[in-house]
Each structure stands twice: as C-alpha cells, then as structure tokens.
Amino acid sequence: MKLFSDVSQKFLTTSNSILLFIVIFTIFFVPFFPLEWHRILYSICYTLIFILSALALSNYRSRIFNIAVLVVLIEWLSELLDLTILLKISLVVNIFFFILIVILFIRQIARAETVTPQVIMESINGYLMLGLSFSILIALISIVDPNSFRFPNLVNETASGVSNFSNYTYYGFVTLTTLGYGDVVPLTSAAKSFSIFTAISGQLYIAIIIAALVAKYLNQSK
C-alpha cells in the first residue's frame, strides 16, 4: 500500500501538523467540555493520535500502524464494555505505545540532517506525548491504589481514570516541567519515586533535544 511505502516530506510534515493539533486539543481543550463528554472525547482523540502517530513516522510505519489499530481496538472495547480490568489493560497498552512513539520520534530527530519544520514538530509532539504517557501512568497508579496521590479537586474519588483524566494530565505536565505548584501531593513511596522520574525525564528530554537541534542548525549554517 502507498500509505506504508516511502512518502514525501510534505506528507510527513502534514501528518505531524495534524498530530500536533490533535494532541494540543486533547491536552488543553477537552477539559473545557462538560465532564460527561470526557470519556468519548478522550477516546476519539486518542484514536486519532494513535493513527496519526504511525503516519507521522518515516520508518516502521506499517508495523506501528498495525500496533496502533490493536491499541485502538483495546481502547474502544474498554470504553464500550466499561470493565475495570479492561480499562487497566488499555492504560498499560497506551503507555507503552506512547513511549514507543516518543523513542521513534527521538530517533527520527537524531537522524535528521537539517532542522526543518517537520523536525521541530516531531520534537514538540514527542515532548507532549511523553507528558501524556506519564499522565496515563498516573491514572493507572491512581486506579490501582487510590491513596497514591492526593488530588484536592477530584470530581469523584471513585470515578474511573477517564473521568478524572484532566486532573492526571494537569499533574503529569506540572511535574514534567518541574513547575510543582504543590497542590497535588504524591503520598506513597512508589508515587514519589514516579514523580521524581517524571521530572528528570522532562528535563533530560528538553536538554537532549535542544542540544541536538542546535548542533544540527549550526552544522546547517556552516
């Protein structure tokens, strides 16, 4: 299929642009919708993110697309059947998929010879998707052990991870950027260790990617 064969830079740039738009919408705009819409909106947005992530890759597109389809099926089964065990499986699969995409984006950035709009969007997508993967992991930890974090404004302490996902996203990105308002507190040793890992990962990503982009830009200028 042409979709999985060698594609033009314009196709990759367009895929990354649409992916960036969907990721931004998921993080910043879904929380503005009524709470009862969140489950379906997050499912739709994540479905688009999974598919577009595969299309935004220059290598392994066919394999990643097949994995994305499998992840989408699990995502919608957990949404339709509303089973706790299936929700946990879906969250675990989502985490691994996002981490895989972030690694492949970093690899693409490292192999790029010049700094282009596509490379810049790949670096932004990688960072935002890294934050989403940590947010999903926070949701999973909270479902497994509700006492792991203290969220002062959870809509429902016993609600599903999806219902409170905007809170998990908020804490995930606040920790990833080492902003740390202090309104959400990790309580258990595992939660504290994970928070440290999230903060370090965010700083390492920025340091490594910016260093790589600056080096490529300098070489490009010379």
Side-chain angles (χ1 to χ4, degrees):
M1 293 177 62
K2 185 178 180 180
L3 182 65
F4 303 126
S5 60
D6 293 334
V7 295
S8 64
Q9 290 298 117
K10 183 178 180 180
F11 179 87
L12 293 175
T13 302
T14 302
S15 298
N16 273 283
S17 301
I18 300 174
L19 174 61
L20 179 58
F21 173 79
I22 298 299
V23 171
I24 290 176
F25 180 83
T26 303
I27 297 172
F28 300 109
F29 292 97
V30 170
F32 285 96
F33 288 86
L35 182 63
E36 57 270 18
W37 294 14
H38 282 197
R39 287 184 64 94
I40 187 65
L41 283 176
Y42 278 123
S43 294
I44 293 174
C45 288
Y46 275 94
T47 297
L48 295 174
I49 291 173
F50 296 146
I51 301 300
L52 289 168
S53 297
L55 299 181
L57 297 173
S58 57
N59 296 311
Y60 310 110
R61 189 178 299 106
S62 177
R63 298 177 184 176
I64 301 301
F65 187 84
N66 292 333
I67 296 175
V69 171
L70 177 61
V71 175
V72 168
L73 289 176
I74 298 175
E75 174 79 17
W76 281 100
L77 281 175
S78 66
E79 170 66 25
L80 296 174
L81 298 180
D82 197 21
L83 298 176
T84 303
I85 184 63
L86 197 55
L87 174 62
K88 293 179 181 178
I89 294 174
S90 175
L91 293 175
V92 171
V93 173
N94 289 355
I95 292 167
F96 280 107
F97 183 83
F98 276 129
I99 292 175
L100 174 62
I101 293 298
V102 171
I103 292 173
L104 292 177
F105 273 143
I106 294 175
R107 185 175 179 179
Q108 276 189 196
I109 296 168
R111 290 187 171 187
E113 297 180 357
T114 59
V115 179
T116 63
Q118 175 193 330
V119 173
I120 294 175
M121 281 188 288
E122 286 172 353
S123 63
I124 297 173
N125 283 329
Y127 184 74
L128 294 179
M129 293 178 70
L130 181 64
L132 284 177
S133 65
F134 286 133
S135 301
I136 297 171
L137 188 51
I138 292 170
L140 180 61
I141 293 174
S142 298
I143 292 174
V144 174
D145 183 4
N147 297 318
S148 296
F149 300 92
R150 185 176 73 236
F151 289 89
N153 60 338
L154 276 188
V155 176
N156 186 348
E157 293 287 348
T158 60
S160 67
V162 178
S163 300
N164 294 313
F165 194 72
S166 60
N167 291 280
Y168 304 139
T169 302
Y170 163 76
Y171 179 68
F173 278 93
V174 166
T175 307
L176 185 72
T177 57
T178 65
L179 186 59
Y181 286 121
D183 52 342
V184 181
V185 182
L187 300 178
T188 63
S189 297
K192 293 176 182 177
S193 178
F194 170 73
S195 298
I196 295 172
F197 177 74
T198 301
I200 293 175
S201 298
Q203 296 307 296
L204 286 177
Y205 182 96
I206 293 176
I208 293 172
I209 294 301
I210 289 181
L213 293 178
V214 170
K216 292 179 186 296
Y217 182 75
L218 292 177
N219 291 333
Q220 181 179 335
S221 299
K222 292 179 182 179

